[in-house]
Amino acid sequence: MTYAGLQIAPPFGPRPRHMTVGVKIGGVMVGGGAPIVVQSMTNTDTADIDGTVAQVAQLARAGSEIVRITVDRDEAAAAVPHIRDRLMLRGIDVPLVGDFHYIGHKLLADHPACAEALAKYRINPGNVGFRDKKDKQFSAIVEMAIEHDKAVRIGANWGSLDQELLTYLMDENARAGSPLDARAVMREAMVQSALLSAARAEEIGLRRNQIVLSAKVSAVQDLITIYRMMAARSEYAIHLGLTEAGMGSKGIVSSSAALGILLQEGIGDTIRYSLTPEPGGDRTLEVKASQELLQTMGFRTFVPLVAACPGCGRTTSTVFQELARDIQDWISTSMPEWKSRYPGVEGLNVAVMGCIVNGPGESKHADIGISLPGTGEQPAAPVFIDGKKSVTLRGPTIAADFKTMVADYIEKRFGSL
């Protein structure tokens, strides 16, 4: 296509999803073309039943579709079935994943109720066992998964990479005519650790539709390269996550950069933001970040979107900022009720703009939008509904009046479905 003598590229979008084998985790399907799943992890002591139940419930209410819990000792393993049962009494049927390291084989054998209560076991090939014990202990966990018909995530991790495999590959590389740099060898070791472990699990008897793979590192470019390699060499369901992403904006930005590129390339069936919370901070931030990434990229819809301008010298009034915040907060707190009352409301688009430059145009693109008066503009705020100007609001109650109009729009559009 050409325009004014220029070659215009055709429309582009995400590549087709990398087709993987679907894995059932509790009542949630991962891979096999299913929607990309959001998951998270608790940071409570799993032996603290009340605290863990409260945090799992909080994460599930925020939208986490799978929640992972640490199972590191007997007290934690013994608590798992009680946690599952208490969640069920609250009406929360979120699948629980047991995170096992070092002694998972023993904990599952000693606590069969834990093995039954979990929907998936997470194994790290780098620390499931060492030397002659490694295969025996890995096999024991896989056999428990087969016995209880559970899914398994085989999750290699940069910080606990299989040292025997890495040493072998380093030695082989050193003998090569054109050796690779050490980082490239480590990437290959990550991929092989996951793939060889998955192949071994299948040899033992685990079905391919019970296996999810991950290979998590903390550097963005390494993560992208490793997952591209793994996707090209397998059809297992894939979990994406940048491990040890960090705190605050750094963790969100780095995770979004890595996961966004891979998802755009069709790689990834389930994701997690591994964010470090502020002391006493909100653990659900990692769930919200995952949802916002998927919704922003157009893969899933979770909550109505609120478009708001960033503000500039034309918008010295804080009215549009306050209204955008109020609308966003109102939507977030209302969504649990709205999901049952207003099917499809998560697809709503609202615009709150601060002046006439882009305000009217952006508001027309939204389902309902308002263009508030900027510095020096007449104290009038046109409201657009479904692309057409509906009314002009004036006076000190502009914000409250617009909020009422949004509520009325939701009721009329979604209330009769």
Side-chain angles (χ1 to χ4, degrees):
M1 176 181 175
T2 59
Y3 177 77
L6 299 175
Q7 183 69 32
I8 306 298
F12 63 91
R15 296 180 190 173
R17 289 278 297 283
H18 169 61
M19 285 310 297
T20 57
V21 175
V23 179
K24 195 75 174 291
I25 303 172
V28 177
M29 180 62 74
V30 171
I36 299 163
V37 172
V38 171
Q39 63 177 278
S40 59
M41 184 176 183
T42 61
N43 62 354
T44 57
D45 179 356
T46 305
D48 174 8
I49 296 174
D50 291 340
T52 302
V53 167
Q55 191 171 91
V56 172
Q58 183 184 37
L59 291 167
R61 283 194 297 268
S64 184
E65 293 156 306
I66 296 173
V67 177
R68 182 157 49 111
I69 60 178
T70 298
V71 186
D72 58 345
R73 64 193 195 280
D74 287 304
E75 293 84 355
V80 170
H82 300 290
I83 293 167
R84 188 272 315 272
D85 293 344
R86 290 196 191 180
L87 289 167
M88 295 292 287
L89 286 173
R90 292 190 183 193
I92 300 171
D93 190 21
V94 64
L96 298 177
V97 177
D99 194 62
F100 293 102
H101 297 273
Y102 307 113
I103 59 170
H105 61 291
K106 184 177 185 302
L107 293 174
L108 287 169
D110 291 348
H111 299 273
C114 169
E116 186 277 327
L118 294 169
K120 184 175 73 171
Y121 310 155
R122 192 271 189 168
I123 310 174
N124 183 337
N127 57 27
V128 71
F130 303 99
R131 299 182 180 85
D132 57 331
K133 294 182 179 179
K134 178 179 178 181
D135 186 65
K136 180 180 178 181
Q137 294 174 184
F138 178 84
S139 299
I141 298 176
V142 171
E143 286 165 0
M144 291 294 289
I146 295 169
E147 178 183 343
H148 292 278
D149 195 24
K150 304 296 182 179
V152 171
R153 172 155 75 93
I154 296 173
N157 192 290
W158 195 258
S160 49
L161 184 56
D162 183 334
Q163 292 302 303
E164 292 180 54
L165 175 62
L166 178 60
T167 299
Y168 170 78
L169 291 177
M170 286 290 189
D171 290 343
E172 287 289 300
N173 183 62
R175 288 191 288 268
S178 301
L180 303 172
D181 63 62
R183 202 169 192 89
V185 179
M186 291 184 73
R187 289 170 173 171
E188 177 64 22
M190 285 285 292
V191 175
Q192 286 202 27
S193 178
L195 294 179
L196 291 171
S197 297
R200 176 60 183 141
E202 286 197 67
E203 287 179 5
I204 297 166
L206 197 67
R207 301 187 307 274
R208 188 160 293 194
N209 67 352
Q210 291 176 272
I211 299 173
V212 180
L213 294 188
S214 69
K216 299 173 76 173
V217 300
S218 57
V220 170
Q221 294 297 341
D222 288 318
L223 190 87
I224 294 167
T225 300
I226 286 168
Y227 272 97
R228 283 172 174 166
M229 292 165 64
M230 194 161 68
R233 290 153 63 174
S234 77
E235 58 178 15
Y236 297 107
I238 290 176
H239 168 71
L240 295 183
L242 187 77
T243 193
E244 288 91 41
M247 185 179 287
S249 60
K250 184 267 179 187
I252 292 173
V253 170
S254 57
S255 291
S256 298
L259 272 59
I261 289 171
L262 290 165
L263 291 171
Q264 185 73 8
E265 295 181 1
I267 299 170
D269 301 299
T270 174
I271 67 170
R272 180 195 171 205
Y273 274 61
S274 298
L275 302 178
T276 304
E278 298 284 349
D282 184 1
R283 189 68 171 180
T284 65
L285 178 60
E286 65 179 52
V287 179
K288 297 170 186 174
S290 295
Q291 290 182 327
E292 287 175 6
L293 176 70
L294 293 176
Q295 183 153 344
T296 299
M297 296 188 70
F299 292 114
R300 292 190 63 183
T301 304
F302 298 97
V303 296
L305 289 175
V306 178
C309 68
C312 65
R314 293 185 293 269
T315 57
T316 52
S317 168
T318 61
V319 174
F320 85 95
Q321 297 168 316
E322 293 163 357
L323 181 56
R325 179 197 61 201
D326 290 348
I327 292 291
Q328 188 73 68
D329 290 347
W330 174 55
I331 285 173
S332 296
T333 56
S334 301
M335 274 306 291
E337 177 192 355
W338 286 356
K339 284 181 180 179
S340 58
R341 288 184 58 193
Y342 303 117
V345 70
E346 62 273 9
L348 177 71
N349 287 303
V350 181
V352 180
M353 305 301 292
C355 75
I356 61 173
V357 174
N358 293 316
E362 189 72 41
S363 297
K364 289 177 183 177
H365 290 307
D367 296 315
I368 179 169
I370 187 170
S371 180
L372 292 161
T375 305
E377 295 175 12
Q378 293 297 316
V383 176
F384 297 83
I385 296 178
D386 295 329
K388 297 179 181 179
K389 184 177 177 180
S390 172
V391 67
T392 299
L393 301 178
R394 292 182 172 83
T397 61
I398 285 177
D401 293 343
F402 179 67
K403 190 172 177 179
T404 299
M405 292 185 70
V406 173
D408 290 343
Y409 180 86
I410 290 172
E411 180 64 43
K412 290 176 182 175
R413 177 173 170 184
F414 302 102
S416 59
L417 297 179

